[in-house]
Amino acid sequence: MILPNSRLAKLTEAEAGTTMRTMEGVVLKLPSFSQLISPNHLTNRTTLNFRFGFPKSSSSSSSSSSTASLSVPAAAPVSLGHSTRPDFEILHQKIHNGSKLVYLDNAATSQKPSAVIDAVNNYYRSYNSNVHRGIHFLSARATDEYEMARKKVAAFINASESSEIVFTRNATEAINLVAYSWGISNLKPKDEIVLTIAEHHSAIVPWQLLSERTGAVLKFVSLTEDEVPDVKMLQELLSKKTKLVVVHHVSNMLASVLPIKDIAQWAHDVGARILVDACQSVPHMVVDVQNLGVDFLVASSHKMCGPTGVGFLYGKSELLASMPPFLGGGEMISEVFLDHSTYADPPSRFEAGTPAIGEAIGLGAAIDYLSEIGMQKIHDYEVELGNYLYENLHTVPGVRIYGPAPSQTVDRAALCSFNVEGLHPTDIATFLDQQHGVAIRSGHHCAQPLHRFLGINASARASLYFLQYKTRC
């Protein structure tokens, strides 16, 4: 299931209808945007056609039918998208006017496989209890499962020990934790923080607030002509004044991938620390924090097949040990007196109050699910999907895709942010949703500075995951 097939732009309406009958999918024709905007905007324009594929059902009989309709040879292996799709019940539904749901908004949040939903349900049905505070059976089991989830996260990103993983509400809170705990303790007037203009708002606003409080200066890296953050400029900005580098691993709008290991080394060479926003990389590729050499890394559960309401911060143990608490309350203390308190060791020091227990356990189940597939397998499959998406969308007249073109030396994530000449991205998203059941994102994707740099206010975005697949006529 993927956007689009450029050849369909040349099909007549009758040919397109034949195509719809000979494949397990839908061909989407977009001439009726004239209902949404002035017809003058579409003068002499080629009709846009987008194609998406769907499975008939998760049954074995449907699988054989789907294979036949896709004209895949009997000996051909089943794609990762086909093999995992039965695990996502939410995708097997019809919406609006009976259209089958096509979910292409994975960069915003991923869908959850049955194994994750079952794990969360099992917690609430079988051993719901608070953690770390009771000796009874339910509390002991909940504590074991919660801490096991922490160990799974640590292993997943190759942290040296599970105590380097702090559970937070999301990646945004994790970044704020570093800003207010490490930042306030370590930054002073005229110190510099280096960022790129392509950062998510969650990786910009906390440092703006911190700079107002500490007098630190924010330095921003712009884009190259290929619309990739300029790493040469980043390297040149680093100096002894630099105390922190804040960068994304994969851009949620440009789909570009930064050389984090190199950037971490450059930061350390001038005595600076590095924080990596890995929300768009941890769900899609192998991420090894020890190999990358990063000091802090953040990610969110809900983008990697896990529940909402939980994310995590990775921090080197010596850094976390030196940082004061972010929030005060139960769980994060060692002893409390009327005139002072002492604090627990990390990670408990940064997990005040009752945590999102069921959500953390669900994240652990998501990691089990992804690990069983294999992150390298997921990455390789998504590179193929992402290139197919870019190459076909790129051939549609009037479409402008943002970010670098894929090549043998340039990797793109499996997403495309784009605009269509004469159409507002919200109109595109609304039309696809209401007329064809296709979910894409429109707006600024929490990247307003980047959109302004590109001279636009908004864009449409189709973002894929391993549960998507290509269809053939």
Side-chain angles (χ1 to χ4, degrees):
M1 172 178 59
I2 195 163
L3 276 161
N5 182 354
S6 60
R7 186 174 67 82
L8 295 179
K10 301 177 182 178
L11 293 179
T12 66
E13 185 171 353
E15 288 171 327
T18 300
T19 301
M20 291 173 65
R21 290 190 295 272
T22 58
M23 60 183 277
E24 181 60 20
V26 173
V27 178
L28 304 183
K29 300 184 65 183
L30 303 183
S32 55
F33 271 117
S34 57
Q35 302 170 7
L36 305 175
I37 63 171
S38 170
N40 294 331
H41 291 160
L42 295 178
T43 302
N44 298 323
R45 287 291 311 283
T46 301
T47 297
L48 302 183
N49 296 271
F50 294 84
R51 183 186 58 177
F52 305 86
F54 311 86
K56 283 187 174 180
S57 76
S58 59
S59 66
S60 58
S61 62
S62 297
S63 297
S64 61
S65 174
S66 178
T67 300
S69 66
L70 292 171
S71 301
V72 178
V78 176
S79 76
L80 182 57
H82 283 91
S83 64
T84 56
R85 208 154 241 276
D87 299 331
F88 296 84
E89 183 179 350
I90 192 172
L91 299 178
H92 301 277
Q93 64 175 297
K94 294 183 179 181
I95 61 175
H96 295 314
N97 60 350
S99 299
K100 295 179 181 179
L101 173 63
V102 180
Y103 187 78
L104 301 179
D105 195 20
N106 294 280
T109 196
S110 63
Q111 298 303 334
K112 324 305 175 193
S114 298
V116 170
I117 296 171
D118 291 345
V120 176
N121 284 340
N122 188 43
Y123 162 71
Y124 285 110
R125 289 180 182 275
S126 303
Y127 57 100
N128 173 49
S129 184
N130 215 325
V131 294
H132 302 142
R133 305 177 189 181
I135 60 171
H136 57 79
F137 173 81
L138 293 181
S139 180
R141 184 178 176 191
T143 299
D144 287 346
E145 295 291 340
Y146 179 77
E147 290 302 328
M148 179 57 68
R150 193 190 309 276
K151 292 177 181 178
K152 290 176 181 178
V153 173
F156 194 65
I157 62 170
N158 196 32
S160 60
E161 52 190 75
S162 63
S163 61
E164 293 182 321
I165 304 300
V166 178
F167 284 129
T168 58
R169 287 186 304 156
N170 43 45
T172 299
E173 184 175 81
I175 295 172
N176 277 272
L177 190 163
V178 176
Y180 283 91
S181 181
W182 182 89
I184 290 176
S185 301
N186 288 276
L187 295 177
K188 60 184 184 298
K190 303 295 179 65
D191 284 344
E192 295 179 355
I193 302 172
V194 175
L195 315 91
T196 81
I197 63 168
E199 300 309 315
H200 190 282
H201 295 163
S202 295
I204 294 178
V205 178
W207 308 109
Q208 291 176 335
L209 295 172
L210 187 66
S211 69
E212 293 172 359
R213 184 165 179 172
T214 64
V217 178
L218 305 186
K219 298 281 189 176
F220 286 94
V221 174
S222 61
L223 305 184
T224 66
E225 292 182 355
D226 295 326
E227 296 182 342
V228 175
D230 190 337
V231 293
K232 182 178 181 181
M233 177 183 178
L234 187 155
Q235 187 175 16
E236 292 172 351
L237 280 177
L238 299 178
S239 70
K240 293 300 181 182
K241 293 182 179 180
T242 308
K243 301 305 176 185
L244 181 67
V245 176
V246 179
V247 289
H248 59 273
H249 195 174
V250 173
S251 170
N252 74 324
M253 194 260 179
L254 301 172
S256 53
V257 183
L258 291 181
I260 295 301
K261 187 173 183 177
D262 292 340
I263 296 172
Q265 185 60 58
W266 301 337
H268 294 156
D269 286 346
V270 297
R273 301 297 184 181
I274 179 172
L275 182 150
V276 176
D277 174 0
C279 287
Q280 301 294 340
S281 61
V282 167
H284 302 282
M285 63 179 68
V286 176
V287 173
D288 183 333
V289 293
Q290 293 190 66
N291 180 58
L292 294 175
V294 299
D295 299 299
F296 301 105
L297 180 141
V298 304
S300 282
S301 163
H302 71 95
K303 296 183 189 293
M304 52 188 293
C305 294
T308 57
V310 66
F312 65 86
L313 164 69
Y314 158 78
K316 288 182 176 177
S317 57
E318 63 270 22
L319 291 176
L320 294 178
S322 69
M323 290 162 52
F326 174 46
L327 299 172
E331 186 66 22
M332 48 74 66
I333 53 89
S334 175
E335 291 186 287
V336 176
F337 303 91
L338 292 180
D339 59 345
H340 73 283
S341 297
T342 57
Y343 308 117
D345 292 331
S348 295
R349 182 184 302 172
F350 305 107
E351 295 181 6
T354 298
I357 303 167
E359 288 80 357
I361 292 169
L363 170 57
I367 288 174
D368 289 341
Y369 182 85
L370 295 173
S371 298
E372 184 175 355
I373 298 171
M375 291 309 299
Q376 189 60 52
K377 182 177 181 179
I378 289 173
H379 176 64
D380 292 344
Y381 181 70
E382 289 187 8
V383 168
E384 177 187 349
L385 287 183
N387 289 344
Y388 181 83
L389 170 63
Y390 182 94
E391 290 165 3
N392 284 274
L393 188 58
H394 184 67
T395 65
V396 179
V399 170
R400 162 77 156 89
I401 305 174
Y402 302 99
S407 68
Q408 291 184 345
T409 58
V410 176
D411 289 333
R412 274 186 65 100
L415 66 87
C416 280
S417 297
F418 64 96
N419 273 309
V420 179
E421 181 184 352
L423 303 179
H424 193 282
T426 299
D427 291 337
I428 299 172
T430 300
F431 179 81
L432 290 175
D433 173 58
Q434 295 184 359
Q435 297 299 317
H436 299 285
V438 178
I440 67 169
R441 179 55 59 100
S442 65
H444 52 65
H445 318 308
C446 293
Q448 286 182 317
L450 176 57
H451 277 73
R452 290 194 188 97
F453 181 87
L454 294 169
I456 55 176
N457 294 321
S459 61
R461 183 184 68 192
S463 52
L464 314 179
Y465 209 0
F466 61 85
L467 47 84
Q468 265 81 54
Y469 62 90
K470 293 184 284 187
T471 61
R472 301 173 185 172
C473 297

